[in-house]
Amino acid sequence: MTTTSLTTCPYCGVGCGVRAKKEQDGTISIKGDKTHPANFGRLCSKGSALADTIGLEDRLLHPHVNGQKTSWNKALDAVSTGLKEVIEKHGADAVAFYVSGQLLTEDYYVANKLMKGFIGSANIDTNSRLCMSSAVAGYKRAFGSDSVPGNYEDLEIADLIIIEGSNTAWCHPIVYQRIVKAKQQRPNLKIVVIDPRKTSTCDIADLHLPLKPGTDASLFNGLLSHINQQQCIDWGFVNQHTEGLADALISAELSIADVAQTCELSEQDVEQFFQLFVKNKKVVTLYSQGVNQSSSGTDKSNSIINCHLATGRLGKPAMGPFSITGQPNAMGGREVGALSNQLAAHMELDNSVHHDLVSRFWQTNNLATKAGAQAIDMFEDIASGKIKAIWVIATNPAVTLPNADVVRRAIDACELVIVSECELNTGTAARADILLPALAWGEKCGTVTNSERCISHQRNFLPHPGEAEEDWWILSEVAKRMGFGDAFDYQSSAEIFREHAALSGFENNGKRDFDISGLAEISDQQYDDLVPIQWPVTTKKQKGTPRLFEDKQFFTATGKAQFIAITPRAPVNACSKEYPLILNTGRVRDQWHTMTRTARSARLNAHISEPIIQVHLSDANRYDLLEGGLARLDSLWGNMLARVVITEEQRVGSVFVPMHWNDFLASKGRVNALVNPVVDPVSGQPESKHTPIKVTSYQPTWCGFIFSRAPLIPNDSEYWVKIKGEQYWRYELAGETTIEDLSNWTKKQLGEEGEWLEFSDQSVNRFRAGKIINNQLESIIFISAKHDLPARSWLSQLFSEQELSDEIRMSILAGKPGAGLPDTGPMICACFGIGENTIKEAISCGSAKTVEDIGNLLKAGTNCGSCIPELKKIISA
Amino acid sequence: MKQKLVLIGNGMAGMRTVDELLKLSPDKFDITVFGAEPHGNYNRIMLSPVLAGDKKLSEIIINDLQWYQDNKITLYTGKTITKIDRTKQQVLSDDGTVANYDRLIIATGSVPVMLDIPGHDLEGVISFRDINDVNVMIETAKTHKNAIVIGGGLLGLEAANGLMIQGMNVSVVHRNNTLMSQQLDQQAADLMREELEQKGMHFLMNHQTEALLGNERVEKIRFKGGLEVNADLVVMAIGVRPNISLAQASGIQCDRGILVDDTLQTYTPTIYAVGECVQHRKKTFGLVAPLFEQAKVCANHLVDMGIASYVSSVTSTKLKVTGVDLFSAGDFIGDDNTEDIVFKDTARHIYKKLVIKNNLIIGIVLYGETIDGLWYFSLLTEGQDISKIREHIIFGQHHI
């Protein structure tokens, strides 16, 4: 029988509801959940393709210690003794956890509780540090709490939406679709996009401000002083509920002309933007990594919040500063306090009241007292030997952290590396001493919180494969073996959730924003049935809370929101003669993080198949880059190779490179090897969107591609990218040393057996071959000295052909179909290649009655005359 | 009173000339034709299909006896002309028949080259030239087993294939390693050999025949180095030479062939010559296409139009040998200054090669798939620069 489970999407922070249908034969189909308030049934390309990504190939299914498969018991003992030894020898701060916004809240809670509450160090940080820690810091500075005031509905009822530093169309597609729909229904809804790039998000923009990278704070400072000049400050609100406007205004003193100059924008555009803000009360500023991933990310977010505070535009429908998060449970991580500078449930490490409260709640006397290492410092401490044991859970720092090559060396040098993963092939798992198999999406079960504070139940609908286990179970088992049994004797995720909810309400009484005490008593059944609900959820607010600060009470000491005086700072590393271009990194539409999941889907790989560098035409000309050619990118920290895409979307002087490719999919496609290890002093978030680099044209002696039904290891290619397609793997290749005997080399790569097609034009170094087995295409290879290879699309379709027609067989190595000659029928006149059908046609249309006529008309039979008897037969017939 | 035209040789070139003549001016001449063979005129190219059993003799007759009557042509079959008296303007045949002429066409064709080795005159040693040879082969196949074909050219392979189909165990002897070297390069030749070997044909490549052994009938063939192989039938197909004995005997200027000018006229103004017996501007001929061209021009002058002149050009050969389509033209071997564009589908026995020089096609070999042969050939003859279509040219016209 078929079963249907309601769950949530494992990708971005929109947190869409997903309907997973399991057929009798086990096949899974995915649809959007019409009842989920985030998406009301819609899904983006990634979400829709989730069914393609389920499968056990390349999954980690068994515990391993030092590369040897072993039992859970031995593996867990190895972890606990390993950690204990390090702690005994070097103290609690010599161990660290690096966790993930991919974790469920319950897993997150247990990890944080173990590290901060019982190991006694705050050395736990999460990859959310790379994603929204500046937004967190900005909120906390302004509101005294990490509170996203509004929700998605505000976007639909606003009159002005400012989208800053976010390619929402690609990175949060469903939120974008909601905005598009609203714009269609209310064309006078104004949309301003602030982004150095002209992204797809600009399609619906009334105004696009392609500002100079890193100058966002100047723009919003300018806006603040414009608001002041235009007398549109909400003095009532400001006087009663805020502090610090005066200082903020002083440091914001900027004329439109100043702003235009600093941000390299036209004065008209700046003025238009400012006027739109002044004119429209119902304004939401939606911002993301373009703001956060900066050495002044926290200041940037406060410069935005300042403008909303000055106009009193928050805590009401259709207004507010809205940070949209990148990961499915970044918010859950924030709620359990899994950042190294947080305690738990939005409480602070350095707050004695909170410290006492949590100590009592957890019944521990070993609660961490000072902030631990943040992501970047954590791996620097590993490199310096200060941290001797690292436990990485559900993330891949060897690929994702800035200066990733140094991070790799640090992990390699670390005494004890523990990795909990569901994937076998990740750059980090490859470096682990102990590998622990975790459950993946669809197998694990727990809660997540999306960007609008909405808690949803992510449910399992697949069996547990191999020996994989829930992350909370793995953590608890280690805790027990370390002697913390009583505090970690969990039987279910429901039990953990109730404890988490209870802590949020423990001695809260409205003093802390995060309070879900209303869920602390739910039964297992109620937990299973939990419907999406926005926190706070208390006994007073059983139905949750759509918007915060409606009472204008903030969680600062004075209860008032704080203006922050912002002095804009340029990115730390400026461009130089040697490194003249700005590297901007980010996501592409159809890939997710390091592609360990999305790369399994052929249709997702079709959009952008290779690591690319997007560059403006004038830069392309300046650095002799050719469209479709290869480029080498160098920064002070590392280098990579990428396919050149020339586009007017880029600003001159600035290039964009996707963050996704890992070692298993590309030989030199990891952009984070180049990214400068620079962080925001307040939030510790890396400046991933601004690294000076140089770009040169990469000139291989040959380039080419392979399609193969079976995966293979590409040899002799300095550049390779592996792309899964429908029934084939595709490899894009380029090499620096000419291959002598291509025919033999090819057969070594692809295997002798089979029927071979071969095409060679050696003098121009063109070689192509195809292998056919049972009249099906098995593999093809195209090699050329130049970037003149044919399009891949038609060739890729051939792998779905059940049987190759002769015409197609003859066209394969042409790389394109023939013009489709009319079927001339069986050959009659060999001399002039005239077929039976052609001759019959000439006869039937009356233009030929005799052999001579046919000869005059078609030349048939006029050379050797061998076919004259057949001609006679055809005529008499 | 009509002029008298005599044609010596009832073969394809001569009779095509008569055809063209009749088209231009049916009543100009009283026409007399002498044929050494005892048949009407037939398509010599079709002897292979006959031997292979694909065609009946009746099917390869171009003009039957009735046709000669209908066109009031006097035909003497089985009569060989022994003398041409240029002063009397008459010809004399072996049985004493005399015919006068105002205009004479010599179309005596070619004679097979026979190895002048011991035993070459034994019974069962033949060539592959006419219906009689074919009959001998078919008869021998009924009573004997082992056939040897000397010469791995076009004709030799067709003979060998036919004999194999007639049930004989056939070996082809070739003096070097490349079959059909007139038409194929090494690669194509090897494909041809593999394909024929799969059919059961045997090959003795790089073998030179030293002698044929036997008392009355041939029994063995011996090669340089002493190897001996059983042979009940030996077919020599090592080439042909123009048949000029009669012309020479009659004092008509000859070199390797009967010398003709651009109007196909010999050094004796009343006498014309066409076909494989002639030599035009140092060239002799073996393929049918130029012969038909000559026929047109010759006829044009015989009817005193005098406007046509024969120009021998690069010829392409498109053949079906033992069921395999072949096409070749120009310099298909090439040298250090040429470039090859090659396509292979070995499983399907397809091989295509274009020889390129300065972006021009100078040579073509197509094996197994010849559909684009004439297109390539037109690019070759028209001297078209192919640099713009180079990537796809080997895949044929419909890929451009």
Side-chain angles (χ1 to χ4, degrees):
Chain A
M1 59 129 184
T2 67
T3 56
T4 306
S5 325
L6 294 183
T7 181
T8 60
C9 178
Y11 298 128
C12 78
V14 177
C16 295
V18 166
R19 216 178 156 77
K21 194 164 167 216
K22 190 178 186 185
E23 305 294 341
Q24 216 144 7
D25 63 2
T27 52
I28 303 293
S29 60
I30 296 294
K31 278 200 167 46
D33 173 3
K34 288 193 169 52
T35 66
H36 198 285
N39 57 317
F40 298 104
R42 294 192 209 86
L43 283 180
C44 70
S45 51
K46 291 186 288 289
S48 309
L50 270 166
D52 302 357
T53 67
I54 296 164
L56 297 184
E57 70 275 14
D58 299 333
R59 276 287 302 276
L60 174 65
L61 296 174
H62 304 283
H64 291 71
V65 174
N66 303 326
Q68 297 304 313
K69 196 174 140 192
T70 182
S71 69
W72 266 116
N73 221 344
K74 290 206 175 71
L76 293 165
D77 288 344
V79 173
S80 52
T81 45
L83 291 175
K84 274 192 291 189
E85 278 172 20
V86 171
I87 293 165
E88 278 156 22
K89 269 208 225 107
H90 309 282
D93 287 335
V95 299
F97 293 177
Y98 186 62
V99 299
S100 164
Q102 301 282 294
L103 284 175
L104 300 171
T105 300
E106 293 75 3
D107 305 320
Y108 243 142
Y109 176 85
V110 174
N112 188 58
K113 181 182 182 184
L114 174 58
M115 180 52 86
K116 292 190 184 132
F118 292 84
I119 290 175
S121 166
N123 280 346
I124 176 171
D125 211 41
T126 152
N127 61 9
S128 300
R129 178 72 60 187
L130 315 177
C131 166
M132 39 80 272
S133 49
S134 294
V136 173
Y139 281 142
K140 285 168 74 174
R141 288 203 304 191
F143 308 144
S145 61
D146 173 17
S147 316
V148 180
N151 59 34
Y152 299 149
E153 190 198 19
D154 292 331
L155 296 163
E156 292 168 325
I157 57 180
D159 295 327
L160 171 63
I161 300 173
I162 300 161
I163 300 175
E164 190 192 6
S166 162
N167 182 8
T168 320
W170 281 14
C171 302
H172 299 97
I174 298 307
V175 158
Y176 182 74
Q177 288 311 317
R178 289 178 69 162
I179 297 172
V180 170
K181 194 148 171 249
K183 172 91 174 160
Q184 285 162 352
Q185 286 162 353
R186 294 185 298 117
N188 52 1
L189 158 60
K190 292 281 178 263
I191 293 165
V192 178
V193 174
I194 301 167
D195 194 318
R197 290 193 299 155
K198 190 174 186 303
T199 63
S200 306
T201 304
C202 299
D203 296 355
I204 56 163
D206 298 281
L207 175 64
H208 171 223
L209 301 178
L211 80 178
K212 180 183 177 188
T215 61
D216 315 57
S218 300
L219 183 63
F220 279 82
N221 268 358
L223 176 58
L224 185 61
S225 61
H226 183 79
I227 289 167
N228 184 32
Q229 288 153 25
Q230 301 293 308
Q231 275 104 39
C232 90
I233 289 179
D234 179 342
W235 288 110
F237 174 81
V238 168
N239 291 335
Q240 285 179 45
H241 304 293
T242 73
E243 295 170 323
L245 174 59
D247 295 348
L249 280 175
I250 291 163
S251 52
E253 191 60 55
L254 274 176
S255 71
I256 286 175
D258 301 336
V259 172
Q261 195 184 15
T262 315
C263 302
E264 295 178 0
L265 296 167
S266 80
E267 290 189 27
Q268 293 84 337
D269 286 354
V270 174
E271 188 167 9
Q272 193 190 343
F273 166 50
F274 288 1
Q275 279 167 1
L276 279 169
F277 193 97
V278 168
K279 269 203 254 102
N280 294 284
K281 282 196 160 43
K282 295 185 171 178
V283 50
V284 177
T285 307
L286 186 72
Y287 56 100
S288 190
Q289 313 311 355
V291 170
N292 301 342
Q293 291 180 330
S294 157
S295 59
S296 61
T298 311
D299 284 355
K300 287 177 181 178
S301 47
N302 283 107
S303 72
I304 297 166
I305 297 168
N306 284 349
C307 295
H308 282 268
L309 288 174
T311 49
R313 293 172 186 172
L314 77 169
K316 300 183 209 133
M319 28 184 102
F322 193 163
S323 150
I324 186 162
T325 61
Q327 296 198 82
N329 200 30
M331 293 283 276
R334 287 147 72 166
E335 289 148 20
V336 303
L339 287 156
S340 62
N341 53 326
Q342 302 174 336
L343 180 47
H346 283 198
M347 287 182 273
E348 299 306 316
L349 275 158
D350 49 17
N351 178 317
S352 57
V353 176
H354 293 166
H355 189 275
D356 165 63
L357 185 158
V358 175
S359 296
R360 282 184 286 117
F361 185 86
W362 279 346
Q363 296 169 10
T364 177
N365 49 20
N366 196 24
L367 187 65
T369 50
K370 60 178 198 321
Q374 297 172 342
I376 307 304
D377 321 342
M378 187 181 279
F379 286 85
E380 277 167 10
D381 290 352
I382 292 170
S384 70
K386 202 166 139 204
I387 292 173
K388 307 224 179 288
I390 175 81
W391 188 351
V392 178
I393 304 178
T395 185
N396 193 6
V399 178
T400 53
L401 282 175
N403 202 4
D405 290 348
V406 171
V407 169
R408 291 174 165 226
R409 288 196 283 281
I411 300 173
D412 289 337
C414 186
E415 265 181 37
L416 176 61
V417 178
I418 305 153
V419 174
S420 301
E421 249 305 336
C422 47
E423 296 291 334
L424 191 58
N425 295 335
T426 82
T428 309
R431 294 170 161 74
D433 302 303
I434 303 175
L435 268 174
L436 305 174
L439 293 175
W441 177 82
E443 299 157 2
K444 61 184 180 179
C445 175
T447 57
V448 293
T449 308
N450 71 5
S451 294
E452 61 169 359
R453 288 175 286 102
C454 182
I455 299 169
S456 303
H457 201 143
Q458 191 179 97
R459 296 181 177 84
N460 60 319
F461 53 91
L462 294 168
H464 294 187
E467 297 180 86
E469 285 290 352
E470 309 262 11
D471 284 295
W472 64 259
W473 180 89
I474 301 171
L475 285 153
S476 304
E477 287 304 307
V478 170
K480 288 174 191 164
R481 285 169 168 74
M482 294 178 76
F484 314 126
D486 309 349
F488 293 88
D489 188 18
Y490 299 115
Q491 302 308 314
S492 71
S493 52
E495 192 181 344
I496 299 165
F497 182 80
R498 283 190 290 266
E499 181 180 314
H500 165 58
L503 174 58
S504 74
F506 188 57
E507 297 174 12
N508 187 325
N509 312 319
K511 289 198 293 293
R512 307 194 300 268
D513 68 329
F514 180 67
D515 184 345
I516 56 171
S517 52
L519 300 168
E521 305 292 318
I522 58 173
S523 68
D524 289 7
Q525 190 56 49
Q526 289 169 310
Y527 175 77
D528 290 341
D529 301 342
L530 186 69
V531 293
I533 185 166
Q534 286 174 289
W535 61 260
V537 184
T538 61
T539 41
K540 285 201 213 68
K541 296 179 179 165
Q542 286 292 357
K543 295 255 167 295
T545 315
R547 291 176 190 83
L548 296 173
F549 308 129
E550 283 174 316
D551 58 1
K552 304 190 176 53
Q553 292 312 304
F554 298 90
F555 297 94
T556 54
T558 60
K560 294 183 174 186
Q562 302 296 307
F563 284 91
I564 306 294
I566 300 301
T567 310
R569 280 180 286 118
V572 169
N573 291 303
C575 290
S576 63
K577 241 192 172 52
E578 196 185 354
Y579 298 103
L581 292 166
I582 298 167
L583 169 66
N584 179 9
T585 67
R587 288 175 176 164
V588 297
R589 192 191 73 200
D590 287 356
Q591 294 298 346
W592 173 257
H593 281 190
T594 60
M595 294 167 68
T596 48
R597 178 174 281 277
T598 42
R600 294 161 173 256
S601 166
R603 42 181 168 158
L604 294 182
N605 295 332
H607 178 232
I608 293 175
S609 310
E610 285 180 85
I612 55 167
I613 172 174
Q614 290 186 314
V615 57
H616 188 278
L617 179 61
S618 61
D619 286 326
N621 293 337
R622 185 171 302 119
Y623 304 107
D624 349 294
L625 308 177
L626 292 175
E627 175 73 24
L630 288 171
R632 180 189 161 107
L633 288 62
D634 284 273
S635 80
L636 272 172
W637 299 271
N639 63 73
M640 73 178 289
L641 298 174
R643 187 75 62 191
V644 174
V645 176
I646 296 170
T647 167
E648 298 305 307
E649 292 176 4
Q650 278 306 129
R651 272 177 63 95
V652 177
S654 155
V655 302
F656 178 82
V657 177
M659 64 187 230
H660 304 292
W661 274 266
N662 68 42
D663 316 69
F664 297 88
L665 297 168
S667 59
K668 270 192 143 316
R670 293 182 300 109
V671 70
N672 281 305
L674 285 74
V675 172
N676 45 208
V678 170
V679 300
D680 179 297
V682 183
S683 70
Q685 179 157 2
E687 188 152 60
S688 301
K689 295 201 175 283
H690 195 289
T691 303
I693 64 163
K694 68 177 168 204
V695 179
T696 50
S697 171
Y698 179 69
Q699 305 283 8
T701 60
W702 62 273
C703 56
F705 60 80
I706 289 176
F707 283 74
S708 169
R709 284 193 190 270
L712 48 89
I713 298 108
N715 296 320
D716 313 312
S717 319
E718 277 70 17
Y719 175 86
W720 61 261
V721 179
K722 179 182 183 184
I723 305 145
K724 190 182 187 196
E726 286 297 346
Q727 308 190 32
Y728 62 83
W729 292 91
R730 178 177 133 215
Y731 297 83
E732 291 292 330
L733 309 170
E736 290 166 12
T737 43
T738 317
I739 298 154
E740 284 318 321
D741 185 343
L742 273 166
S743 182
N744 275 326
W745 183 82
T746 297
K747 294 186 170 82
K748 276 199 202 74
Q749 301 292 304
L750 304 177
E752 281 274 5
E753 79 299 338
E755 300 176 5
W756 282 95
L757 310 176
E758 247 179 78
F759 161 41
S760 68
D761 187 350
Q762 248 180 333
S763 58
V764 296
N765 298 312
R766 187 176 283 128
F767 176 84
R768 301 174 182 181
K771 186 166 79 166
I772 294 169
I773 292 177
N774 306 328
N775 212 10
Q776 280 195 330
L777 194 52
E778 180 66 20
S779 49
I780 44 177
I781 180 166
F782 280 51
I783 302 285
S784 176
K786 294 203 271 23
H787 283 295
D788 60 357
L789 297 160
R792 321 290 192 259
S793 52
W794 180 73
L795 287 166
S796 66
Q797 292 159 23
L798 299 183
F799 285 82
S800 307
E801 296 272 337
Q802 286 313 304
E803 201 164 305
L804 293 172
S805 72
D806 292 2
E807 197 178 348
I808 288 178
R809 182 180 177 121
M810 283 303 124
S811 301
I812 293 168
L813 298 190
K816 61 174 190 175
L821 294 173
D823 176 14
T824 55
M827 199 55 59
I828 299 296
C829 170
C831 299
F832 295 108
I834 310 300
E836 188 171 357
N837 298 354
T838 319
I839 292 159
K840 282 180 173 164
E841 215 175 286
I843 296 166
S844 61
C845 74
S847 46
K849 293 185 174 56
T850 65
V851 173
E852 287 69 28
D853 297 341
I854 294 172
N856 298 333
L857 202 69
L858 307 168
K859 288 175 115 183
T862 57
N863 189 32
C864 76
S866 310
C867 60
I868 287 169
E870 279 95 334
L871 295 179
K872 286 180 178 155
K873 275 199 203 100
I874 296 171
I875 291 170
S876 60
Chain B
M1 160 89 186
K2 287 191 201 172
Q3 290 193 334
K4 291 190 174 55
L5 174 75
V6 171
L7 165 64
I8 306 172
N10 188 19
M12 295 180 78
M15 283 313 294
R16 175 60 76 102
T17 313
V18 170
D19 281 336
E20 299 286 350
L21 208 53
L22 293 173
K23 277 192 217 153
L24 297 172
S25 163
D27 304 322
K28 184 174 172 62
F29 291 105
D30 277 330
I31 303 174
T32 307
V33 177
F34 287 86
E37 290 186 65
H39 324 277
N41 128 277
Y42 63 91
N43 186 337
R44 204 175 290 284
I45 296 166
M46 304 284 274
L47 287 174
S48 305
V50 172
L51 178 60
D54 298 343
K55 295 254 182 303
K56 295 196 256 17
L57 267 178
S58 59
E59 287 179 303
I60 72 166
I61 297 298
I62 299 169
N63 302 310
D64 56 19
L65 302 176
Q66 186 57 46
W67 180 89
Y68 288 85
Q69 282 176 25
D70 299 348
N71 292 280
K72 306 187 198 60
I73 294 170
T74 316
L75 170 66
Y76 297 106
T77 57
K79 297 192 178 191
T80 314
I81 300 298
T82 52
K83 187 169 189 303
I84 301 168
D85 188 328
R86 291 185 290 151
T87 48
K88 290 191 189 147
Q89 297 196 182
Q90 59 181 205
V91 297
L92 182 70
S93 83
D94 48 3
D95 72 337
T97 312
V98 177
N100 295 320
Y101 66 83
D102 300 301
R103 291 283 182 277
L104 176 70
I105 307 173
I106 306 175
T108 46
S110 60
V111 289
V113 177
M114 302 296 278
L115 288 175
D116 187 13
I117 50 168
H120 73 274
D121 49 5
L122 285 168
E123 190 190 336
V125 180
I126 59 169
S127 66
F128 182 28
R129 175 69 187 169
D130 55 29
I131 288 178
N132 181 48
D133 295 327
V134 173
N135 291 335
V136 172
M137 290 193 232
I138 293 173
E139 288 313 307
T140 315
K142 291 176 183 158
T143 54
H144 294 75
K145 191 162 174 300
N146 298 317
I148 295 279
V149 175
I150 302 177
L154 169 57
L155 213 58
L157 294 183
E158 286 189 323
N161 186 56
L163 288 166
M164 205 163 62
I165 289 164
Q166 295 296 335
M168 296 191 81
N169 165 33
V170 185
S171 302
V172 175
V173 177
H174 197 60
R175 68 180 188 292
N176 60 34
N177 198 33
T178 313
L179 296 176
M180 289 183 66
S181 50
Q182 295 295 310
Q183 292 86 13
L184 303 181
D185 68 349
Q186 190 61 51
Q187 289 239 42
D190 293 345
L191 272 176
M192 178 60 109
R193 193 173 116 200
E194 283 160 28
E195 210 163 339
L196 291 172
E197 278 171 341
Q198 281 167 19
K199 286 186 176 181
M201 198 179 291
H202 307 293
F203 288 90
L204 296 152
M205 306 301 282
N206 306 305
H207 279 61
Q208 294 199 12
T209 311
E210 198 169 62
L212 302 173
L213 314 175
N215 300 327
E216 291 204 350
R217 184 180 184 87
V218 65
E219 292 161 15
K220 278 186 178 350
I221 177 169
R222 189 170 73 230
F223 301 103
K224 281 222 176 71
L227 172 69
E228 290 185 4
V229 176
N230 292 339
D232 308 322
L233 176 70
V234 173
V235 180
M236 291 201 190
I238 55 175
V240 295
R241 52 180 164 72
N243 181 3
I244 58 173
S245 43
L246 172 67
Q248 265 176 326
S250 313
I252 296 165
Q253 283 289 344
C254 297
D255 176 17
R256 279 175 299 136
I258 303 167
L259 295 170
V260 292
D261 62 14
D262 292 353
T263 71
L264 284 308
Q265 196 172 36
T266 68
Y267 277 59
T268 309
T270 52
I271 304 178
Y272 288 75
V274 293
E276 293 182 325
C277 61
V278 309
Q279 179 177 347
H280 171 262
R281 296 181 181 248
K282 299 198 174 68
K283 271 181 77 176
T284 59
F285 304 88
L287 295 162
V288 73
L291 274 53
F292 288 174
E293 269 312 298
Q294 293 171 5
K296 267 207 185 69
V297 176
C298 184
N300 179 283
H301 285 277
L302 285 168
V303 299
D304 304 325
M305 289 184 169
I307 50 168
S309 81
Y310 175 69
V311 188
S312 72
S313 51
V314 201
T315 53
S316 67
T317 44
K318 190 163 172 57
L319 305 163
K320 206 175 184 71
V321 185
T322 73
V324 181
D325 288 316
L326 301 175
F327 184 100
S328 72
D331 171 12
F332 53 79
I333 302 299
D335 56 40
D336 297 355
N337 307 322
T338 62
E339 301 154 356
D340 293 350
I341 302 179
V342 180
F343 174 84
K344 279 187 274 181
D345 183 347
T346 316
R348 291 283 173 95
H349 304 289
I350 292 171
Y351 169 76
K352 307 195 235 176
K353 181 171 94 175
L354 300 177
V355 180
I356 309 295
K357 191 171 191 171
N358 310 324
N359 293 316
L360 303 178
I361 300 180
I362 63 159
I364 308 161
V365 194
L366 306 178
Y367 181 101
E369 200 203 64
T370 55
I371 193 97
D372 290 294
L374 292 164
W375 177 58
Y376 294 138
F377 187 60
S378 67
L379 294 176
L380 181 151
T381 49
E382 291 157 22
Q384 289 204 22
D385 184 307
I386 58 124
S387 43
K388 281 198 176 51
I389 55 171
R390 185 165 185 146
E391 181 181 353
H392 294 114
I393 189 168
I394 201 72
F395 301 99
Q397 193 165 13
H398 59 298
H399 274 99
I400 301 309

